Amino acid sequence: MSYTVKSSEKTRKSGAETETKALLYLMNLRKDSDEINYFIVDFFNDLTGMDTYADKLWDVQSKGAKGNSPKALGKELVTLFKNFVCDFEFADYILFVGGVSNTVRINNNLNSFGIENITPSAIQKIKDGLIEEAKNKSYIEDTDITDTNINQFLDKVRVVIDDKKPSDYVRTIIKGHPNLVSEEKVLDAIFNEIRDKQASKKNIKVIEGVVIETKDEALKYFRHLTASDVRLLTLQRIINRNPIAQGVPISFMPILNNCPPEQFNDFIQECQTSLSRALFNKNSSESFWALLENVYNLILNNPKLDVNKVFDMVDRDIKKNAKDFDVLSLKYFIALVKDGIQ
């Protein structure tokens, strides 16, 4: 069993924006989003989600066009179909588009749907477009273009219509805490950072023609982001500093000065480890963003308070739910936020 990379491409800015929306859709807007850890850029397809141990793949083809006709949709499905007939198994085949014509859907209120919500006449035109495009591609064998394969493929395809602004997708990262970031320009800046980071993965190395034997081999080409990378970029923009890479926050020095010098490094390492664990723990992301929102607003409203006083004011229930922190590491986190936003 093997997989050959074909049809990798560089993306225009408009296409890059749609791909970032698709990434944030995979990361935050699906019932199975918590399963997805890696987002592989322009390798299997425009974007491919992968779980932590490379057992499952979510395949995404993204196109920003707004009024796709049924035949145009069929043509856009070609790279998903290529992966459907390959040796590797994909858990989902997702066509992420800017919009569709009013002749496609049975229920026009559904923006995420399978073939059950596509009109019979549109289904036939989708098939016509897919067959026409597949025959034009050298990476699909004529013997794979069969009615059986196409019908089985279409039964598994999900069409997702992009119905949100970039800022709305960023709000899904911070789990509905509008008081954390309310300014549209900040949310847009976060989106743009994620977009640029994602787009940069295309320039790492030419991979056209690369052959891999197992799914996890795709990671060795480093064309991927992780959910943790996205959360870190978001936090970094909110508090105006890299919480992992930069040095000890000044606001934490009164606490650190009471530590024996020979224990400085270990103490700081423990605090940073707790922060990393809290930030990158997918199972407690809601608790993390709730904590950040509480700390962020306490500091904005009480800029003269020191770290210890802010710690005392943090909501007791929010503290209890932030299980990756202890007293000192939470004070370290408060100091990071305080230094970043003041």
Side-chain angles (χ1 to χ4, degrees), residues 55-118:
D55 293 320
K56 290 178 69 174
L57 297 173
W58 290 257
D59 198 31
V60 182
Q61 173 69 17
S62 65
K63 293 294 177 183
K66 298 291 184 184
N68 289 283
S69 67
K71 189 170 184 180
L73 286 177
K75 289 177 176 289
E76 299 296 3
L77 287 170
V78 69
T79 52
L80 292 169
F81 182 69
K82 171 195 69 174
N83 287 336
F84 176 77
V85 297
C86 79
D87 290 340
F88 283 11
E89 181 181 353
F90 292 77
D92 279 290
Y93 302 89
I94 302 158
L95 181 61
F96 190 91
V97 294
V100 296
S101 69
N102 57 14
T103 62
V104 173
R105 287 173 286 183
I106 296 171
N107 182 349
N108 284 308
N109 293 319
L110 294 179
N111 283 342
S112 176
F113 55 90
I115 198 171
E116 75 285 344
N117 192 47
I118 301 177

Side-chain angles (χ1 to χ4, degrees), residues 22-291:
L23 186 156
L24 295 176
Y25 158 77
L26 279 183
M27 180 175 167
N28 299 305
L29 292 171
R30 292 173 56 90
K31 290 181 179 178
D32 56 5
S33 287
D34 285 346
E35 293 184 53
I36 306 172
N37 184 56
Y38 297 103
F39 303 93
I40 304 171
V41 179
D42 196 31
F43 191 94
F44 298 103
N45 210 330
D46 287 338
L47 180 71
T48 307
M50 177 187 284
D51 69 342
T52 303
Y53 295 108
D55 293 320
K56 290 178 69 174
L57 297 173
W58 290 257
D59 198 31
V60 182
Q61 173 69 17
S62 65
K63 293 294 177 183
K66 298 291 184 184
N68 289 283
S69 67
K71 189 170 184 180
L73 286 177
K75 289 177 176 289
E76 299 296 3
L77 287 170
V78 69
T79 52
L80 292 169
F81 182 69
K82 171 195 69 174
N83 287 336
F84 176 77
V85 297
C86 79
D87 290 340
F88 283 11
E89 181 181 353
F90 292 77
D92 279 290
Y93 302 89
I94 302 158
L95 181 61
F96 190 91
V97 294
V100 296
S101 69
N102 57 14
T103 62
V104 173
R105 287 173 286 183
I106 296 171
N107 182 349
N108 284 308
N109 293 319
L110 294 179
N111 283 342
S112 176
F113 55 90
I115 198 171
E116 75 285 344
N117 192 47
I118 301 177
T119 65
S121 61
I123 290 173
Q124 186 55 55
K125 291 175 182 175
I126 286 172
K127 289 180 179 179
D128 293 342
L130 174 57
I131 291 169
E132 181 180 317
E133 192 71 7
K135 287 182 176 179
N136 288 332
K137 300 297 184 182
S138 60
Y139 52 69
I140 297 178
E141 300 291 337
D142 288 342
T143 53
D144 288 326
I145 308 171
T146 65
D147 288 341
T148 298
N149 278 346
I150 289 173
N151 288 334
Q152 289 177 349
F153 168 65
L154 291 179
D155 282 341
K156 294 188 174 184
V157 168
R158 176 150 294 272
V159 179
V160 177
I161 296 176
D162 168 27
D163 58 355
K164 297 177 179 61
K165 298 182 296 183
S167 56
D168 294 327
Y169 284 99
V170 174
R171 286 188 179 96
T172 68
I173 304 172
I174 58 180
K175 303 298 181 185
H177 294 282
N179 294 327
L180 187 55
V181 182
S182 58
E183 292 184 76
E184 197 84 0
K185 64 181 181 180
V186 177
L187 294 166
D188 287 341
I190 293 171
F191 182 91
N192 291 341
E193 284 200 32
I194 299 169
R195 181 201 63 203
D196 294 346
K197 185 78 170 178
Q198 182 178 358
S200 72
K201 297 296 180 179
K202 294 174 179 285
N203 301 321
I204 290 177
K205 184 178 182 181
V206 175
I207 56 165
E208 186 76 15
V210 163
V211 178
I212 59 174
E213 302 298 328
T214 58
K215 297 171 185 176
D216 62 283
E217 286 185 62
L219 300 177
K220 73 181 184 181
Y221 294 93
F222 293 93
R223 296 171 74 95
H224 63 269
L225 293 169
T226 66
S228 298
D229 292 332
V230 175
R231 285 192 286 269
L232 179 58
L233 280 172
T234 304
L235 176 61
Q236 183 172 326
R237 169 62 67 167
I238 291 171
I239 67 172
N240 299 310
R241 62 179 286 156
N242 187 321
I244 305 299
Q246 289 183 245
V248 179
I250 294 173
S251 297
F252 194 67
M253 292 307 296
I255 297 172
L256 183 61
N257 286 337
N258 291 320
C259 176
E262 66 273 14
Q263 296 180 28
F264 272 22
N265 290 339
D266 289 344
F267 178 38
I268 295 302
Q269 183 63 51
E270 287 173 8
C271 292
Q272 292 177 338
T273 298
S274 295
L275 171 58
S276 297
R277 194 163 50 238
L279 178 59
F280 301 150
N281 185 349
K282 291 188 291 185
N283 297 322
S284 63
S285 59
E286 169 63 28
S287 299
F288 176 80
W289 295 115
L291 174 66

